[in-house]
């Protein structure tokens, strides 16, 4: 079974069409409590974990960057730590908001990151933490 965080989100709803996927709602695992996310992984014993949950409210992140950082960086870090301890793969999803927004071509994964606003900064912190 593959465990997916972010049950109600766009990405998780697409993933949940696979019968091997179990999704977790905010009530089952709140990313504002990173340790609860690690605990959920240990309880479910999946063969892999996908984090499709995130603070995606770009404008609200400007006012509440610290809270967004817990969800977008500290919780994924706790998930990655739990997966490493169980020796299972962990997939975390990036965003174009980690890039500065200039240029005239599609972004490459190795392009230099330079987020312009809080949402991008918290997502970049999550990538580095994972
Ligand atoms: N969709 C895109 O076009 C796009 C583009 C680039 C990157 N991404 C990335 O893809 C990933 C998934 O995005 P999405 O578009 O599927 O997002 P979304 O539709 O906005 O869904 C976000 C999910 O995260 C959950 N969530 C938010 N805060 C939470 C918390 N504290 N505890 C538990 N769950 C929480 C939401 O649950 P609630 O319903 O309870 O709020 C929802 O299920 C994100 O990492 C995002 O950065 C998406």
């Amino acid at each position: 079974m593959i465990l997916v965080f972010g049950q109600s989100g766009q990405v998780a709803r697409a993933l949940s069409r696979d019968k091997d996927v179990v999704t977790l709602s905010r009530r089952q695992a709140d990313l504002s409590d990173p340790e609860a996310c690690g605990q959920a992984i240990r309880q479910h014993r999946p063969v892999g974990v996908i984090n499709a949950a995130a603070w995606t409210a770009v404008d609200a992140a400007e006012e509440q960057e610290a809270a967004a950082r817990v969800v977008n960086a500290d919780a994924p870090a706790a998930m990655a730590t739990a997966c490493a301890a169980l020796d299972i793969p962990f997939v975390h999803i990036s965003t174009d908001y980690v890039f500065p927004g200039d240029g005239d071509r599609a972004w490459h994964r190795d392009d230099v990151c330079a987020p312009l606003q809080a949402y991008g900064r918290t997502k970049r912190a999550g990538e580095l933490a994972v």
Side-chain angles (χ1 to χ4, degrees):
M1 174 270 281
I2 297 169
L3 191 64
V4 175
F5 288 86
Q7 188 175 80
S8 62
Q10 291 181 73
V11 171
R13 280 187 282 118
L15 292 171
S16 69
R17 294 180 198 134
D18 189 309
K19 64 177 172 44
D20 291 329
V21 163
V22 169
T23 59
L24 294 181
S25 68
R26 183 190 292 249
R27 187 178 53 77
Q28 291 166 305
D30 190 337
L31 274 69
S32 299
D33 180 357
E35 180 47 33
C37 299
Q39 187 60 30
I41 292 169
R42 289 187 288 275
Q43 277 172 358
H44 282 81
R45 288 267 160 184
V47 298
V49 174
I50 301 172
N51 178 28
W55 181 307
T56 54
V58 175
D59 292 342
E62 293 296 329
E63 304 293 322
Q64 302 173 70
E65 184 165 351
R69 187 172 290 260
V70 173
V71 172
N72 288 348
D74 297 350
M79 294 177 197
T81 299
C83 289
L86 295 170
D87 198 22
I88 58 173
F90 175 58
V91 176
H92 183 65
I93 302 168
S94 185
T95 171
D96 49 324
Y97 281 83
V98 299
F99 298 116
D102 55 2
D104 56 5
R105 59 163 173 79
W107 296 106
H108 296 167
R109 53 176 288 171
D110 296 327
D111 285 338
V112 174
C113 294
L116 298 178
Q117 25 52 13
Y119 172 63
R121 283 193 293 273
T122 64
K123 288 289 291 182
R124 180 61 181 150
E127 292 183 347
L128 294 172
V130 167

